[in-house]
Amino acid sequence: MLSSEEWGVVLLSLRVGVVAMAALLPVAFALAWLLARGRFPGKILLDALVHLPLVLPPVVTGWWLLLLFAPAGPLGMMSGHILFRWTGAAIAAAVMALPLMVRAIRLSIEGVDRRLEDAARTLGAGRARVFRTITLPLCAPGIVAGVVLGFARALGEFGATITFVSNVPGETETLPLAIYTALQMPGGDATAWRLAAISVAISLAALIVSEAIARRAGRGVHVL
């Protein structure tokens, strides 16, 4: 059984992951759409910047976030609301999850048959209706996959979080940080095992739900 402190870590991790994904999804979709359908100068540079967190050490990403949100940084006015708080952990998780979400959604957008959209327009459907009834349903499995991948990445985020908002019990101590702390303490192996098991269970549940939603979305697209 988990202690009250361990339950607090689990709930905080879920809160950070859910908030990060809810805030990130519109941004990730917009970026994926630009990269999949847009034609503009600097597209390659934007693509590289989006995927930069994948290749940078997470500690470097966390350090850059710290510089941005430091009192003397460009976003210093917001630092009082996020430094050493769970909202900062959500920002770090969102930044690290962004490349995975954008890539999954972009591939789903690129996989949409443009001829279906063109056919709908020739039948009198406006752009908004085409997007709502054709494009979005066809993209739905990729969007779900992106959200799940992003959530799993957010749940496992360590380096950027501890560098950006430190490891504050009850505020920024998510599952990976709590497991790391337990491993540094004598006799903390049992706690680490329990928290690791919870991490695995949450990730498996997310993947199962994702697969179920993706299959249902696929059946809906087939009907269309």
Side-chain angles (χ1 to χ4, degrees):
M1 295 292 294
L2 297 179
S3 66
S4 58
E5 290 80 7
E6 291 166 352
W7 274 117
V9 169
V10 173
L11 293 176
L12 176 62
S13 298
L14 293 174
R15 183 183 187 185
V16 167
V18 169
V19 170
M21 292 306 98
L24 185 59
L25 181 56
V27 177
F29 188 88
L31 288 171
W33 187 273
L34 279 175
L35 294 173
R37 298 283 181 93
R39 294 182 180 179
F40 54 91
K43 181 178 177 179
I44 295 178
L45 178 60
L46 177 62
D47 193 10
L49 290 174
V50 166
H51 290 86
L52 196 59
L54 279 180
V55 295
L56 277 178
V59 173
V60 174
T61 302
W63 178 52
W64 283 358
L65 288 173
L66 186 59
L67 292 178
L68 282 173
F69 289 97
L75 302 177
M77 290 186 297
M78 299 175 57
S79 61
H81 302 287
I82 64 171
L83 290 181
F84 309 112
R85 298 188 61 184
W86 72 270
T87 47
I91 290 175
V95 170
M96 297 303 298
L98 178 64
L100 295 177
M101 289 188 67
V102 170
R103 183 170 181 81
I105 298 173
R106 177 185 179 178
L107 289 175
S108 68
I109 294 173
E110 291 175 342
V112 173
D113 191 343
R114 301 288 290 272
R115 292 174 298 181
L116 296 176
E117 298 174 325
D118 294 338
R121 291 192 186 97
T122 59
L123 294 175
R127 289 189 176 184
R129 186 176 181 184
V130 170
F131 177 80
R132 187 179 68 254
T133 61
I134 303 295
T135 310
L136 193 58
L138 290 173
C139 292
I143 294 173
V144 172
V147 171
V148 171
L149 286 174
F151 179 77
R153 183 66 184 87
L155 199 67
E157 171 47 38
F158 177 83
T161 301
I162 198 170
T163 306
F164 180 35
V165 291
S166 189
N167 185 7
V168 182
E171 193 64 47
T172 66
E173 190 180 43
T174 55
L175 278 167
L177 275 65
I179 293 171
Y180 175 79
T181 300
L183 291 174
Q184 306 308 306
M185 298 171 58
D189 289 353
T191 299
W193 273 108
R194 288 195 297 271
L195 294 177
I198 291 294
S199 299
V200 172
I202 294 173
S203 299
L204 282 176
L207 290 173
I208 291 171
V209 170
S210 166
E211 182 64 21
I213 294 175
R215 289 187 178 184
R216 180 172 295 183
R219 289 196 295 268
V221 170
H222 181 70
V223 172
L224 288 174

